[in-house]
Amino acid sequence: MEDIEDLLIGSRSTTPPGFRSPLPAAVGVGVGSKRNKLSSSPSPAIPGTQSDSEYMAGQLSAFGYSLSDNPDQADLWLINTCTVKSPSQSAMDTIITKGKSLNKPLVVAGCVPQGSRNLKELEGISIVGVQQIDRVVEIVEETLKGHEVRLLTRKKLPALDLPKVRKNKFVEILPINVGCLGACTYCKTKHARGHLGSYTIDILVGRVKSVISDGVKEIWLSSEDTGAYGRDIGVNLPTLLNALVAELPADASTMLRIGMTNPPYILEHLKEIAEILRHPCVYSFLHVPVQSGSDTILSAMNREYTVDEFRTVVETLTKLVPEMHIATDIICGFPGETDEDFMQTVNLVKEYKFPQVHISQFYPRPGTPAARMKKVPSNVVKRRSRELTNVFESFTPYSGMEGKVERIWITDIASDGIHLVGHTKGYIQVLILAPDHMLGASAMVKITSVGRWSVFGEVIETIDRVSGNKVLNKLLPDRDLPSLCGISAKAGGFSEEPESCACGSDVCCGIDKSDNSRGTAVPQNQSKKSFIGWMLRKREHLHKKVESELASGSVKKHDGRMKWDFVDNILLSGISISILTIIALVAALTFRVFWSK
């Protein structure tokens, strides 16, 4: 089943192979019966919902269900939804219509049924609310029996130790709270997910310890607004972050990424947040939506901050945090937006040249105050969206990185099936040619070229465990070592100014020299290994593509057999040459032995 949020983000033809949105996302899951299969697919950026999908899939798997690559063969479809954007609900309607035409039992989960339970499209369909995901097995069982089940009553927060199937085994999406304290006039998330509810620090610390022991290499903190964390239980975000960072491995083998935060609450903790973002185990990246560059429009949105306050957030963090990258969101065509209001937004984006901007067109959500406001003509909204997109795409945020040496954390395979995907401390995406066994590892890479959306790198050295600085000094004699390490922990927190590693020469940079089998230098052999890994992944990628096309009927077999692609031909030629070479060597040796007698 196609993920309903894939229709919103990532369809741009210029998106690079493996490009990954910096936010967690919603996932549409199709479900099959016990000993059969469930179907799922990857997705981009809606806070909270991807974690919900992973928990639901995990519970169903633990109860005897499994994921399926083919929804047509599944006995039931489970559709997770988001109410932030209208296309999600439109895609849900399309999937429901298709499911009904195939007589598939359907379960709809997430924000849409929670916030709009009386939708005509949901009539006769089982639905599960955002705080009832721990009962998904019960709902699936009853639906398969032909019963309609609706569980929407809010209760205590779902447990974080429920069975879980991660979309990426190296990435844990950890919800720290649900709901929000805002009252934006265009949003239905609060109506669906309710008032703020935060998990306690002890529960979250326990979860972090658990997932690190599972081999997770990135922990994404998920929330509708991370900055509001703890206000309902008497704590705050910096207190939580310091507690979580204290549990991360000292060699920075597992990284923490802080989720989206709105400006009002983070303003109170800017210096403390900056200290944490400088820590070697925390990505220097933050998603802070601005939505508009006009105070008039922000007031109409009820965003509870001004443009100057947003500027304070951006400028403080970029000043105090080396390599800091900030992503933001813009809504084009909000009711009442004039040409002058829009130009203020354009000028704000031009001023800061954000490396990532999520641009959306305003859509009135039924039941929200903004839905009753006078709309901007749709042709004007579309024109403004195109104009802002063109401005954003004109930036070259990674120019000048060629030749730099960066540490990256490798957690994914690119969508082209060839490159591996890693991220720098500033969460810049780096695509590398490397063998699959490097997934989950960290490495020093040299940036070889840059693109609009990502950069390309060449592996210099793998990093597995803690080691001294001698290897780095040998590899990088002209680089300032502390700048590679980040800023180290001190008893009272983290210093505001860069300084050398308090851990001496071992912990911060973490290149292994003690285990020759895992931490050895690879420059002389890397090109060979990378080429072989590339060939094998390319072959697998092409075969999967052909199999998919055959299954869909868009490609037919020729003469009853599969055509060989160029990678197969190269591999076969290599094998043939090797066999002929061996035969020739054996023949020569035999001839020499015979004549020596």
Side-chain angles (χ1 to χ4, degrees), residues 388-428:
L388 187 60
T389 299
N390 290 336
V391 168
F392 165 64
E393 292 184 347
S394 69
F395 304 152
T396 54
Y398 308 129
S399 61
M401 285 190 68
E402 298 95 332
K404 286 188 175 181
V405 174
E406 300 277 353
R407 180 175 180 177
I408 66 169
W409 290 261
I410 306 162
T411 57
D412 211 346
I413 296 178
S415 59
D416 63 1
I418 301 171
H419 295 86
L420 298 186
V421 180
H423 289 88
T424 68
K425 176 73 162 60
Y427 213 69
I428 298 171

Side-chain angles (χ1 to χ4, degrees), residues 502-556:
C503 47
S505 61
D506 294 341
V507 174
C508 293
C509 299
I511 294 184
D512 186 350
K513 65 176 180 179
S514 61
D515 185 345
N516 292 330
S517 66
R518 300 185 63 189
T520 52
V522 295
Q524 67 272 28
N525 297 322
Q526 187 59 49
S527 60
K528 181 178 179 180
K529 290 182 180 180
S530 297
F531 178 74
I532 294 173
W534 174 85
M535 290 287 289
L536 294 176
R537 280 201 302 278
K538 183 68 176 175
R539 183 178 187 274
E540 180 181 5
H541 177 67
L542 289 172
H543 280 197
K544 286 183 177 179
K545 181 178 179 182
V546 171
E547 289 171 2
S548 175
E549 291 172 343
L550 287 171
S552 66
S554 60
V555 173
K556 296 182 179 179

Side-chain angles (χ1 to χ4, degrees), residues 30-333:
V31 184
S33 67
K34 293 179 183 178
R35 295 175 299 279
N36 289 336
K37 295 182 178 179
L38 306 119
S39 122
S40 66
S41 47
S43 55
I46 302 299
T49 48
Q50 182 172 341
S51 178
D52 290 351
S53 293
E54 292 183 345
Y55 276 120
M56 287 190 288
Q59 292 174 79
L60 289 162
S61 296
F63 204 75
Y65 294 85
S66 59
L67 297 175
S68 171
D69 294 328
N70 189 345
D72 291 341
Q73 296 177 359
D75 295 318
L76 179 144
W77 290 0
L78 170 58
I79 308 163
N80 200 12
T81 65
C82 175
T83 191
V84 173
K85 297 182 179 180
S86 174
S88 173
Q89 185 169 326
S90 300
M92 178 198 75
D93 297 344
T94 301
I95 295 171
I96 287 175
T97 300
K98 181 178 180 180
K100 287 181 175 179
S101 70
L102 296 174
N103 295 317
K104 297 291 184 182
L106 302 173
V107 176
V108 178
C111 294
V112 171
Q114 185 75 67
S116 305
R117 66 186 70 187
N118 295 321
L119 284 175
K120 183 179 179 180
E121 291 78 8
L122 296 176
E123 291 179 0
I125 294 175
S126 293
I127 57 180
V128 53
V130 296
Q131 293 188 31
Q132 295 278 16
I133 61 173
D134 54 345
R135 298 180 66 182
V136 67
V137 173
E138 174 187 345
I139 294 171
V140 166
E141 290 281 304
E142 292 300 315
T143 303
L144 287 170
K145 294 175 183 177
H147 302 152
E148 179 185 338
V149 183
R150 297 197 162 206
L151 294 178
L152 294 169
T153 304
R154 296 185 178 92
K155 57 171 189 172
K156 62 181 182 180
L157 297 174
L160 293 179
D161 58 356
L162 295 170
K164 190 173 188 179
V165 175
R166 297 187 183 93
K167 304 298 290 184
N168 182 329
K169 70 177 183 178
F170 298 112
V171 177
E172 167 73 6
I173 301 169
L174 178 61
I176 63 174
N177 55 267
V178 298
C180 68
L181 295 175
C184 299
T185 56
Y186 56 84
C187 184
K188 290 192 73 174
T189 298
K190 185 172 183 177
H191 181 58
R193 292 194 168 256
H195 198 67
L196 182 68
S198 303
Y199 289 94
T200 66
I201 291 178
D202 288 344
I203 288 176
L204 293 169
V205 166
R207 183 63 183 174
V208 165
K209 290 180 180 179
S210 174
V211 301
I212 290 174
S213 67
D214 288 343
V216 161
K217 299 302 180 183
E218 285 186 8
I219 299 172
W220 299 355
L221 301 186
S222 171
S223 168
E224 279 76 40
D225 187 352
T226 57
Y229 170 81
R231 287 175 172 260
D232 56 321
I233 58 174
V235 293
N236 59 35
L237 182 62
T239 303
L240 170 66
L241 294 177
N242 279 314
L244 298 183
V245 166
E247 301 299 330
L248 299 177
D251 61 355
S253 56
T254 298
M255 295 292 288
L256 184 72
R257 197 189 73 186
I258 304 173
M260 186 271 287
T261 178
N262 288 310
Y265 303 114
I266 194 176
L267 275 165
E268 300 178 19
H269 310 294
L270 276 181
K271 288 189 176 181
E272 296 95 325
I273 296 297
E275 291 170 0
I276 294 163
L277 288 167
R278 289 201 304 269
H279 189 278
C281 300
V282 181
Y283 284 119
S284 303
F285 171 86
L286 201 59
H287 176 216
V288 187
V290 63
Q291 304 300 7
S292 175
S294 163
D295 283 339
T296 301
I297 298 304
L298 290 179
S299 178
M301 292 177 172
N302 197 29
R303 289 290 289 169
E304 300 180 341
Y305 59 86
T306 65
V307 175
D308 281 345
E309 288 174 326
F310 173 79
R311 291 177 187 273
T312 298
V313 172
V314 174
E315 292 174 6
T316 301
L317 293 181
T318 53
K319 177 183 178 181
L320 296 179
V321 184
E323 302 181 65
M324 184 69 199
H325 283 76
I326 293 177
T328 195
D329 297 349
I330 302 289
I331 296 176
C332 287

